[in-house]
Amino acid sequence: MTIAVLTHKPHSYSSIRLMEEAGKLGVDCQLVSFSETALILKEGIVKLKVFHDKGVRKIFSRPKTLLRPILLYALSLTRILEEEGFYVVNPFKGFMNTLDKMITYRNLCMRKLPVPDSILTPSRESVRETPPPFFLKPIYGSRGRGVKLVESVNVISSLEAHGAWVIQAPVRDADWDLRMLVLNGHVLAAMKRVSNKPVTNISQGGLGEAFKGDEEVMELAVNATEALSCVFAGVDISFKNGEAFILDVNPQPDFMGVEEATGVNVAREIIRHMLFKAGE
Ligand SMILES: Nc1ncnc2c1ncn2[C@@H]1O[C@H](COP(=O)(O)OP(=O)(O)O)[C@@H](O)[C@H]1O
Ligand SMILES: [Mg+2]
């Protein structure tokens, strides 16, 4: 039995760490770039050209990337592999439920999980009419790109055409929020992201620090992950007057900041999960 890691970035830290840990555990693990794969239709027969190794039965998939045709291709390939009977983390449904913040927040709200008050809209008028302060973020994105805290209305002139935004009430009691990594119904690692800027993402200069979570916040992260049908996710949680709110659920979180800050071997736990998942 072989595991495959399917990614757009075979040279990324996460990919390299997964391969390293698979090697240490003696697990056959194949690293495949989406750019090398193909779906071939010939005379009514569908063939997948994905893995060199016929033994692959389990796949750790990271299909999300910028909004380009390759994104749709990668998501569809993830779905097809699942339909073909592979065990895929995350399942296609998990990626669809977290494809943009619109679907994510709606799903969380419907499961009665706390999200900050938000308006999701392509209307620049709505942005203009909302009294600051508010967070303004693209409905689709990651790593804090394009996310800003609007404190006065002037920035609105810089909004690009054809954009769509989340206008969101700020929730922040202190100079930190949380990133919780959830795997298979448990919190694998929890870190504070400390920053003197409004956007705390590690990729934006936030500093990671191990966090000893209380049960309630752990449960919230697990429930958010499950509500979105993900097996593995990075859940961002922030507090207002001590009350927790979910800011974001990311189905392919980076490992680097978390591994460094918490010492948790995220890559090994993922490989172990793929390996020991019941019903191999
Ligand atoms: N409503 C909010 N209140 C406080 N901080 C926020 C809010 N929304 C976003 N942020 C900050 O901006 C960061 C990026 O926003 P997020 O919604 O997670 O987008 P991305 O998908 O780019 O990570 C968050 O991790 C948090 O630090
Ligand atoms: Mg985030």
Side-chain angles (χ1 to χ4, degrees), residues 38-50 76-77 80-81 83-84:
L39 183 74
I40 299 165
L41 309 182
K42 198 168 175 210
E43 294 165 2
I45 309 278
V46 181
K47 269 199 193 152
L48 286 172
K49 191 173 155 286
V50 181
S76 295
L77 186 61
I80 290 166
L81 288 166
E83 286 178 3
E84 293 283 331

Side-chain angles (χ1 to χ4, degrees), residues 101 105 116 135 137 141-145 147 168-172 177 179 193 197-201 236 238 247-248 250:
K101 290 189 165 58
Y105 289 148
F135 269 84
K137 35 195 183 187
S142 66
R143 298 185 166 184
R145 277 181 291 232
V147 177
Q168 191 169 70
V171 286
R172 176 79 53 82
D177 58 17
R179 161 55 63 97
R193 300 180 303 184
K197 293 192 278 183
V199 174
T200 60
N201 298 59
D236 298 343
S238 191
L247 294 184
D248 194 21
N250 186 334

Side-chain angles (χ1 to χ4, degrees), residues 34-86:
F34 278 106
S35 64
E36 298 164 359
T37 67
L39 183 74
I40 299 165
L41 309 182
K42 198 168 175 210
E43 294 165 2
I45 309 278
V46 181
K47 269 199 193 152
L48 286 172
K49 191 173 155 286
V50 181
F51 308 115
H52 319 294
D53 184 335
K54 294 222 177 340
V56 172
R57 296 316 311 154
K58 297 182 175 183
I59 301 153
F60 189 70
S61 181
R62 294 170 77 86
K64 282 185 75 177
T65 183
L66 299 176
L67 200 44
R68 302 233 173 92
I70 185 87
L71 164 69
L72 299 178
Y73 172 88
L75 285 169
S76 295
L77 186 61
T78 299
R79 173 181 174 168
I80 290 166
L81 288 166
E82 201 175 300
E83 286 178 3
E84 293 283 331
F86 292 90

